[in-house]
Amino acid sequence: MLELFNITFKNPIWTASGVFGYGLKYKRVSRGVGAIVTKGITLKPRMGNPPPRIYETASGLINWVGLENPGVSVFCKEILPQLKEIPTRIIVNVAGFAIEEFGEIVETIGNEVDGFELNISCPNVREGGTAFGQDPKIAGQVMERVRKRTSLPLIAKLTANFCDPLRIAQACVDAGADGISLINTVYGLAYDVNNKQPLICGGLSGPAIKPFALYCVQRVREVGVPIIGIGGITSGKDAYEFMLAGASAVEVGSAILRDPYSPLRIVKELEKYMATHKSGKDLKEAR
Ligand SMILES: Cc1cc2nc3c(=O)[nH]c(=O)nc-3n(C[C@H](O)[C@H](O)[C@H](O)COP(=O)(O)O)c2cc1C
């Protein structure tokens, strides 16, 4: 059991956004994890990008999915009622392309879920396409606006691309964030050597980014709100390392694409690790 944001979670292993849909397919997994973080929801439906959308590298994936989703109204009408039947915590991942969109989505969903994770790694299309999450001022503005529209827990999901996540995290906390999750994918590129052209340019995830993600979690721990660690977690030992770095919970991402049941295995492995290596009390001291 884990107590965060005045909510009880079954355990600290959550599914990351974008790799587990809305948790409706593998219900045994959805019931067994601490929370499902949904696929990113935008104000309007999005078709996503043309193929190729995913490319496997030596130790991770590059994806260029482009936030394909049915939009917030269809989510509320068709997906949320099914999701609410599963006995698990639901965190909705929200993506916007202008500052006000985040708040509109959150208000439309209302109090039907357990909290929101704001994906501030999206490009701010009104301001030249720089990600909201690369500029502390803009990241703070997003959080401040959303804070006014919900009393549910708000987690800011940070990018670590070309910015200092500590400054962004601090701005989000100052503007009312209850928690910080990190990291989103890292810029990545693969070439088609036959055509001498880029094959895919998108977000790198998986074991390749784990050391960097751990570093980022350790860097932002001083902000003083719960941190959710994400990046290359494939085992209970990986999850435990994130907890040593300062995370209260973790999200499993790309590992789910290889094995949808991996979060259940990771829950068990982490329990074993906690029991044999350190008690919960020691972990708090390590933070
Ligand atoms: C195919 C794919 C789709 C993703 N879609 C989203 C998304 O919609 N919103 C989001 O915040 N992160 C998204 N992510 C990022 C993941 O949630 C996670 O932050 C990242 O993959 C790092 O974790 P991992 O190394 O365990 O995969 C996506 C990742 C992948 C691989």
Side-chain angles (χ1 to χ4, degrees), residues 6-176:
N6 292 323
I7 296 176
T8 306
F9 294 85
K10 267 177 223 160
N11 59 60
I13 306 297
W14 303 0
T15 60
S17 179
V19 293
F20 197 57
Y22 303 100
L24 301 176
K25 236 182 171 176
Y26 295 91
K27 292 201 176 137
R28 187 158 69 85
V29 179
S30 299
R31 284 193 301 268
V33 291
I36 296 169
V37 181
T38 69
K39 192 170 171 41
I41 304 292
T42 52
L43 198 55
K44 299 267 179 305
R46 283 177 61 85
M47 296 283 285
N49 294 325
R53 288 175 161 197
I54 290 203
Y55 176 84
E56 187 158 10
T57 73
S59 55
L61 297 173
I62 298 176
N63 93 79
W64 191 63
V65 172
L67 290 172
E68 179 187 342
N69 79 97
V72 69
S73 346
V74 172
F75 173 75
C76 289
K77 274 191 216 119
E78 293 175 20
I79 298 168
L80 194 51
Q82 298 180 61
L83 194 47
K84 282 176 66 181
E85 283 176 14
I86 305 172
T88 192
R89 295 290 180 196
I90 305 163
I91 309 284
V92 176
N93 181 284
V94 174
F97 295 92
I99 292 182
E100 59 280 5
E101 286 185 12
F102 290 88
E104 272 181 59
I105 297 166
V106 163
E107 203 167 83
T108 307
I109 296 171
N111 288 336
E112 301 288 300
V113 296
D114 296 294
F116 297 98
E117 179 179 69
L118 306 187
N119 174 9
I120 54 172
S121 318
C122 315
N124 180 355
V125 290
R126 302 241 171 97
E127 303 289 337
T130 306
F132 301 95
Q134 286 171 323
D135 179 336
K137 202 168 133 224
I138 312 267
Q141 283 171 4
V142 172
M143 188 51 69
E144 201 182 313
R145 300 260 189 110
V146 181
R147 184 71 287 170
K148 287 186 184 135
R149 294 171 92 155
T150 183
S151 55
L152 291 183
L154 281 179
I155 301 167
K157 181 168 180 181
L158 306 194
T159 172
N161 280 329
F162 301 143
C163 63
D164 177 359
L166 176 58
R167 289 183 63 220
I168 311 292
Q170 192 61 61
C172 290
V173 171
D174 292 346

Side-chain angles (χ1 to χ4, degrees), residues 202-243:
L204 177 67
S205 60
I209 68 168
K210 191 190 107 185
F212 181 54
L214 269 174
Y215 171 83
C216 292
V217 166
Q218 174 127 326
R219 179 151 176 82
V220 306
R221 65 201 255 176
E222 67 183 68
V223 293
V225 296
I227 294 172
I228 322 297
I230 322 168
I233 295 168
T234 63
S235 67
K237 178 175 172 289
D238 290 339
Y240 187 69
E241 281 186 62
F242 274 86
M243 298 200 161

